[in-house]
Amino acid sequence: MSYPIRFSVAGMVVVLAAALSGTPSLSRAETPSDFLAAFEAGARAADSGFAGFSAARGELFFNKTHGREWSCSSCHTARPVQSGKHARTGKSIDPLSPNANAERFTRSKKVEKWFRRNCNDVLGRECSALEKGDVLTFLMAVKP
Amino acid sequence: MMDRSRWMNIRLAVTLVLLITGGWVLSAGADDDERDETAYGREQGEYHARGKPHRESHEREGNERGERRSDLPVPDGRGQPEFKAAFEAWKAECSSCHMAYPPRLLPTDSWRALMGGLSDHFGTDASLDQETVDRILPLLEQYAGRRRSQAGTGLVLRITDTRWFRHEHDEVGSAVWKRPAVGSPSNCMACHAGAEQGDFDEDAVRIPR
């Protein structure tokens, strides 16, 4: 697909704001590592004692239910390098791990939208930066 | 140690470079949601006048307002360039959890209600930002079916709750709906292979075992 290349004032303003404030901007993230860095900044801001993400904690979070019907693995499977299946509709879902699906964690708008929706369905609230970082660390660690 | 004014100069230079590349990168890589806005917005007022007569067999009844709408079974984004951005947004956003249900399967009122309540969409959170909702809804309205949706009382949000749906499927037994390969009546594709293309021809129906 080809995108029209044009000079965008809005783009400049976003970058200007990000550059001057010195905070990591989610809207620039393009790779899973960029997301990880942004989640880390968020986790650190929430808790000065933050001591790194954990794949094991992420895996646990991913596979258990949180007081409602579904876990993340209900739709994405417990081995998210495999294709999943929507727990209600049965529609197939491409693997969630970036190790098996290069399109994952490359577009911040998409990532934010699905974290918002899926965390709300599974936990009845937003996920914290720590939870997102743990899950992503797990997703980046699972081997195909 | 660097003195403060030199540091500011470096920071300014870096900012300028980022500024210029940022303007390019962000406008070039913008999310789907942001494209073709102007083309769509300009034409938005005209769409009601454009459709051709509707020919679908199960959509024979007249439109409440006597308007004529497109006869395409599903919008394809080609015939009407002013709907290109709306079509792309609909296709991307409404087919991730299930097939994109052809808009003519529900009337305008149902689509409006459905698009107004996406954060609690049949028990799941399908929320979208308002901009995307505003982009998709006119497409659904344009291609909406012309039947009234009442089944008994009130507004029907499910295709599978409409009177015509029950009527067309009254010979399908309740055990059939529950077969693993079917799952639920909402899973049109299980029996109508061409459902996503808007093809529900009775001769092509195949009920899986």
Side-chain angles (χ1 to χ4, degrees):
Chain A
M1 220 182 270
S2 71
Y3 297 95
I5 307 279
R6 68 195 132 82
F7 209 83
S8 149
V9 176
M12 286 173 47
V13 171
V14 170
V15 172
L16 183 65
L20 290 182
S21 70
T23 52
S25 160
L26 258 185
S27 65
R28 268 187 300 159
E30 298 273 26
T31 69
S33 313
D34 292 333
F35 284 97
L36 212 52
F39 294 147
E40 182 173 338
R44 215 177 280 287
D47 173 12
S48 56
F50 170 74
F53 294 127
S54 148
R57 218 161 47 211
E59 180 169 14
L60 204 66
F61 176 90
F62 198 84
N63 289 330
K64 77 178 190 107
T65 56
H66 301 261
R68 299 186 161 211
E69 185 186 348
W70 291 326
S71 65
C72 307
S73 60
S74 303
C75 295
H76 294 298
T77 85
R79 283 203 68 239
V81 285
Q82 300 171 331
S83 290
K85 208 169 125 204
H86 194 284
R88 177 80 64 78
T89 66
K91 182 166 168 136
S92 124
I93 301 174
D94 290 340
L96 189 60
S97 165
N99 296 343
N101 182 352
E103 279 171 34
R104 294 301 185 194
F105 296 92
T106 55
R107 287 169 57 206
S108 54
K109 256 193 144 170
K110 183 168 185 196
V111 171
E112 281 163 29
K113 176 177 72 192
W114 284 102
F115 265 129
R116 181 187 71 227
R117 290 172 168 176
N118 293 342
C119 290
N120 196 20
D121 278 348
V122 171
L123 300 99
R125 60 164 172 85
E126 284 185 30
C127 289
S128 67
L130 179 67
E131 288 163 339
K132 292 180 196 172
D134 282 346
V135 165
L136 180 52
T137 303
F138 161 59
L139 293 173
M140 289 168 79
V142 275
K143 293 275 168 290
Chain B
M1 219 179 83
M2 255 190 286
D3 72 21
R4 199 176 149 75
S5 67
R6 226 178 108 204
W7 170 238
M8 282 306 287
N9 277 341
I10 292 171
R11 184 149 181 164
L12 204 66
V14 169
T15 303
L16 266 173
V17 170
L18 279 173
L19 206 64
I20 291 162
T21 47
W24 275 82
V25 171
L26 282 182
S27 62
D31 203 76
D32 311 10
D33 301 355
E34 267 129 34
R35 278 184 275 140
D36 288 322
E37 208 175 351
T38 47
Y40 166 63
R42 202 173 49 238
E43 306 280 351
Q44 199 180 0
E46 300 176 11
Y47 63 81
H48 272 314
R50 294 187 140 246
K52 294 187 212 99
H54 206 295
R55 282 196 232 104
E56 266 317 298
S57 58
H58 66 283
E59 299 271 357
R60 262 176 244 113
E61 289 166 22
N63 179 336
E64 305 107 277
R65 275 173 278 153
E67 287 157 5
R68 320 207 121 184
R69 301 189 187 178
S70 174
D71 63 347
L72 285 171
V74 280
D76 70 354
R78 271 176 299 191
Q80 290 165 298
E82 71 272 30
F83 278 113
K84 194 167 169 287
F87 167 76
E88 276 166 14
W90 169 69
K91 200 71 187 163
E93 300 295 351
C94 302
S95 70
S96 38
C97 300
H98 47 63
M99 65 171 266
Y101 295 110
R104 73 186 162 95
L105 297 176
L106 284 174
T108 309
D109 289 353
S110 303
W111 288 125
R112 284 192 190 131
L114 207 130
M115 293 302 286
L118 285 175
S119 53
D120 187 0
H121 178 73
F122 306 100
T124 199
D125 183 342
S127 56
L128 285 171
D129 56 85
Q130 194 56 42
E131 199 191 334
T132 311
V133 170
D134 293 343
R135 181 160 306 158
I136 293 173
L137 183 56
L139 178 97
L140 297 172
E141 291 174 338
Q142 160 75 349
Y143 288 90
R146 292 174 294 172
R147 299 189 163 231
R148 295 179 165 277
S149 64
Q150 286 101 352
T153 50
L155 190 67
V156 165
L157 291 183
R158 280 187 186 268
I159 300 155
T160 51
D161 282 345
T162 58
R163 220 180 266 157
W164 68 259
F165 184 92
R166 291 207 215 118
H167 176 71
E168 298 286 7
H169 297 90
D170 58 4
E171 279 162 31
V172 181
S174 58
V176 173
W177 295 124
K178 295 199 189 89
R179 281 182 195 164
V182 177
S184 89
S186 315
N187 189 13
C188 320
M189 304 263 271
C191 307
H192 302 278
E196 235 167 343
Q197 289 74 51
D199 179 4
F200 293 98
D201 191 344
E202 57 187 302
D203 299 330
V205 176
R206 226 196 99 258
I207 301 177
R209 296 267 111 219

